[in-house]
Amino acid sequence: MIKYLGSKRTLVPLLGALVEASGATTALDLFTGTTRVAQAMKRGGKLVTALDSATYSKVFADTWITLDANAVDQRELTDALAHLESLPGEHGYFTQAFCLDARYFQPRNGERVDAIREAIASEYAGTWLEAPLLTSLILAADRVDSTTGVQMAYLKSWSWRSSKALELKDPGLIAGVGHALQGDALELTASLPAVDIAYLDPPYNQHRYFGNYHVWESLVRWDKPDTYGVANKRLDVRGDTHRSAFNSRKTMPAAIAKLLGDVNAETIVLSYNNESWLSREELIEMCRNRGHVEILDYEFKRYIGSQIGIYNRTGALVGQPGARRNFEHLLLAGPKRTLSRMIEATEHTEVRVEGEA
Ligand SMILES: C[S@@+](CC[C@H](N)C(=O)[O-])C[C@H]1O[C@@H](n2cnc3c(N)ncnc32)[C@H](O)[C@@H]1O
């Protein structure tokens, strides 16, 4: 899985247990990101719909949520990965933009990314293999990157992992069926079919995922856009097209209220943390008409980039180290009996307290 801001790695066992205890058979993961929560739901036998605005997230969901491991020919994927792995590197857009103009990856790995991405475009576009091959490529590149987990800057000297050779691995498909959607949750949620349980994990602050993960966006879209600044972000990061209502203090409260009104689910689980612009009381109030409300609280270390500060190519500090601890909260709303079963399940599930990029 990629390093991802706000990813719920440590909470996945708990979220899986909550969904299981709710008795749900259908589930919605809005703001699915890495899809790790949706994957846990699918592994638990639920019919899952995963939604996010990011193009790379749609590729992850197409791989892990839509594809059914039992319905595809695994050998075709193994052969395609072996073929791509054998290609010699070639200098192209990715190497120039992200290894030379900016330094997110070492050039010899960047040249392999270029060669593999061009081959996916020319040999596998439109086939069932396209999504798992792209997922494998993103995961491989993430394992050899030179960042702290976000792509708004890269480390001033190469990270230790960036010297390793890029290696494509099988992403590991999951048995079962599911649905993947890309778009704005605010526009799509009201039109989605009813589900038993919905997990809502919107962004917490002003940092936009489109800018923080612009390299993955460009790698998946393969539209080779012009870039700007030291971080070499896509030009459209600057515009308004990819702004999310959840990234602004002004628009976020109304956006959450609309979402809570629109989501057609018997039970909801909403993630938020102590950086959220809405207070606990405000969130509880917004959930009142959804039934009974409960809150679970957990304390975590912050992601590593926030602890050490973030530097650009010249060694200048471009991101300040922040406070070291944050608090994650899960707000549950729905029928009282369902929530009682869910709360009971948390008493048997351990949550590890550790950092997560
Ligand atoms: C906190 S992250 C979710 C992390 C995810 N639960 C995980 O474990 O990987 C928030 C996600 O919301 C997505 N997002 C931001 N604004 C959105 C919007 N308006 N509609 C849908 N997705 C949005 C971002 O692309 C990002 O993946």
Side-chain angles (χ1 to χ4, degrees):
M1 199 61 70
I2 59 165
K3 299 180 283 300
Y4 203 58
L5 200 57
S7 172
K8 294 298 170 290
R9 181 166 65 114
T10 44
L11 282 179
V12 166
L14 177 75
L15 289 165
L18 287 172
V19 172
E20 202 51 52
S22 75
T25 58
T26 52
L28 172 65
D29 182 15
L30 283 174
F31 312 96
T32 193
T34 61
T35 72
R36 64 189 349 144
V37 177
Q39 288 183 40
M41 292 167 166
K42 186 180 174 187
R43 287 199 176 90
K46 317 298 166 217
L47 176 61
V48 182
T49 300
L51 183 148
D52 199 285
S53 51
T55 319
Y56 52 83
S57 178
K58 171 71 162 49
V59 164
F60 295 154
D62 284 339
T63 301
W64 284 307
I65 305 306
T66 308
L67 284 178
D68 179 352
N70 291 334
V72 296
D73 185 347
Q74 176 63 41
R75 261 178 323 176
E76 286 184 28
L77 179 55
T78 309
D79 291 349
L81 286 169
H83 163 57
L84 295 175
E85 184 77 1
S86 72
L87 296 174
E90 65 186 49
H91 181 102
Y93 176 85
F94 193 91
T95 313
Q96 190 60 45
F98 302 129
C99 308
L100 298 172
D101 297 342
R103 300 196 313 156
Y104 294 101
F105 308 89
Q106 300 218 17
R108 76 194 161 90
N109 279 329
E111 287 169 4
R112 293 201 46 225
V113 172
D114 267 316
I116 293 167
R117 184 64 188 91
E118 291 295 0
I120 294 174
S122 61
E123 297 173 42
Y124 301 102
T127 73
W128 77 267
L129 291 164
E130 186 178 18
L133 294 176
L134 284 174
T135 293
S136 176
L137 180 58
I138 297 173
L139 265 56
D142 185 64
R143 285 191 292 271
V144 295
D145 79 344
S146 192
T147 75
T148 57
V150 286
Q151 296 162 349
M152 59 186 194
Y154 39 87
L155 297 170
K156 60 178 174 176
S157 41
W158 291 116
S159 69
W160 63 270
R161 63 176 174 268
S162 69
S163 309
K164 294 193 297 183
L166 182 100
E167 186 191 357
L168 293 178
K169 293 184 183 168
D170 189 323
L173 303 182
I174 303 169
V177 288
H179 305 291
L181 296 170
Q182 182 183 3
D184 187 337
L186 279 182
E187 287 168 16
L188 298 181
T189 301
S191 61
L192 297 179
V195 287
D196 297 324
I197 194 161
Y199 174 56
L200 282 54
D201 189 16
Y204 305 117
N205 53 34
Q206 73 279 14
H207 299 301
R208 292 159 61 191
Y209 282 81
F210 192 70
N212 272 332
Y213 297 100
H214 62 98
V215 177
W216 302 148
E217 274 293 327
S218 293
L219 182 57
V220 168
R221 294 178 182 213
W222 209 227
D223 52 356
K224 305 178 186 175
D226 287 336
T227 55
Y228 72 95
V230 178
N232 247 12
K233 292 184 181 173
R234 310 168 52 88
L235 275 190
D236 51 4
V237 168
R238 275 209 285 230
D240 280 340
T241 322
H242 299 283
R243 282 199 188 284
S244 169
F246 299 93
N247 289 137
S248 150
R249 182 189 286 272
K250 240 175 153 173
T251 51
M252 188 263 202
I256 294 277
K258 174 165 167 43
L259 207 61
L260 288 169
D262 282 354
V263 66
N264 195 352
E266 192 181 53
T267 305
I268 61 150
V269 178
L270 170 73
S271 268
Y272 71 103
N273 71 14
N274 57 318
E275 290 184 340
S276 170
W277 290 309
L278 279 168
S279 71
R280 194 180 177 91
E281 292 67 33
E282 287 168 316
L283 281 167
I284 292 174
E285 209 40 54
M286 283 182 183
C287 288
R288 279 273 177 243
N289 59 359
R290 298 205 62 100
H292 193 71
V293 180
E294 295 274 358
I295 296 194
L296 303 168
D297 302 314
Y298 299 92
E299 190 184 5
F300 290 90
K301 275 191 198 166
R302 284 169 65 95
Y303 82 99
I304 187 75
S306 161
Q307 293 183 11
I308 66 173
I310 298 169
Y311 299 83
N312 68 15
R313 180 168 37 186
T314 62
L317 189 66
V318 294
Q320 291 296 331
R324 275 177 176 256
R325 303 203 74 85
N326 71 343
F327 296 89
E328 293 280 344
H329 310 282
L330 291 178
L331 188 148
L332 320 181
K336 192 168 182 180
R337 281 177 56 180
T338 308
L339 263 50
S340 305
R341 287 200 308 273
M342 292 167 78
I343 298 291
E344 201 189 319
T346 64
E347 285 154 21
H348 312 292
T349 313
E350 194 188 335
V351 175
R352 280 175 300 133
V353 177
E354 58 179 63
E356 163 74 314

